[in-house]
Amino acid sequence: MTDDPATVSESIDAELADDDAASMLAGQADVVDAVLAANRVFVAVAASALAGLEPEVTLPQFRALVLIDIHRSMTVAQLADALGVVPSTATRMCDRLVTKELVDRTVDAGNRRQMTLTLRPEGRQLIAQSTRQRKREINRLLKSISPQQQAELATSLGALVQAAHSSDRTRASRRLHSTPEAGSRAR
């Protein structure tokens, strides 16, 4: 085998052609980069919206609050699955959210080993405050682009969200919108 750069490049290209995911992305690097850059903006907006709120919560804790809110109630195991973490991690996160008086945790009457999580009014209030902050910041950002670009952005983001909802790889996203009322409550 040679270390000729052209041969190595051809070998890599051949491997990528065999990989369905990589071949689907061929020619879409600019789009992927743009989506990743937008994702960084959205994460920064979300983090900024949490800054200064009381009680203080991390982005993962906030995500847990939103999931519990959307589902009305969840078991710790369901939350762990939706977050993609092991149950012990979800349990520790819930301990913190209970201590902050944002979540109630009760023993399930039918299965005493199972804990059910529900959002307290303080948890809903924290989500509402954060959502208002995010809306203000996103509105501020949108003011700097034309109405036509805003319409194109809405269409494109809508298509991306729809693709995520129908993807096997975004099970948590699908779960967020699996109940009739979830669509109107999604954050």
Side-chain angles (χ1 to χ4, degrees), residues 1-182:
M1 170 135 187
T2 179
D3 285 334
D4 176 27
T7 306
V8 171
S9 178
E10 289 170 12
S11 174
I12 291 171
D13 289 343
E15 282 183 44
L16 290 178
D18 289 340
D19 183 348
D20 288 344
S23 65
M24 289 189 319
L25 293 178
Q28 296 177 347
D30 290 344
V31 175
V32 171
D33 288 345
V35 170
L36 287 173
N39 183 60
R40 284 186 212 103
V41 169
F42 293 137
V43 169
V45 167
S48 174
L50 292 176
L53 293 182
E54 287 295 328
E56 241 179 69
V57 293
T58 65
L59 278 172
Q61 289 171 344
F62 183 77
R63 187 168 169 230
L65 292 173
V66 170
L67 283 166
I68 296 166
D69 187 35
I70 288 170
H71 290 280
R72 307 248 188 243
S73 69
M74 298 179 84
T75 65
V76 175
Q78 290 169 330
L79 180 62
D81 185 48
L83 292 172
V85 299
V86 296
S88 61
T89 299
T91 297
R92 286 190 301 277
M93 181 184 292
C94 291
D95 290 343
R96 291 180 187 104
L97 294 173
V98 167
T99 299
K100 293 176 183 189
E101 299 181 349
L102 299 171
V103 170
D104 281 327
R105 182 173 43 197
T106 56
V107 175
D108 188 291
N111 180 352
R112 297 185 55 112
R113 292 181 298 161
Q114 187 169 289
M115 302 298 281
T116 300
L117 306 167
T118 55
L119 206 58
R120 292 175 55 103
E122 296 86 348
R124 278 191 194 81
Q125 182 179 1
L126 188 123
I127 290 171
Q129 289 173 325
S130 174
T131 300
R132 283 191 300 274
Q133 286 289 99
R134 284 183 291 140
K135 283 182 177 182
R136 277 194 291 270
E137 181 60 18
I138 290 168
N139 187 48
R140 186 187 68 73
L141 293 170
L142 289 173
K143 285 180 181 179
S144 67
I145 63 175
S146 73
Q148 179 183 348
Q149 288 174 314
Q150 289 180 32
E152 291 168 1
L153 179 62
T155 300
S156 296
L157 289 174
L160 182 63
V161 168
Q162 189 61 39
H165 289 195
S166 62
S167 171
D168 289 340
R169 295 183 179 189
T170 55
R171 68 180 197 275
S173 176
R174 284 196 324 275
R175 248 186 239 115
L176 289 179
H177 301 281
S178 63
T179 59
E181 69 275 358

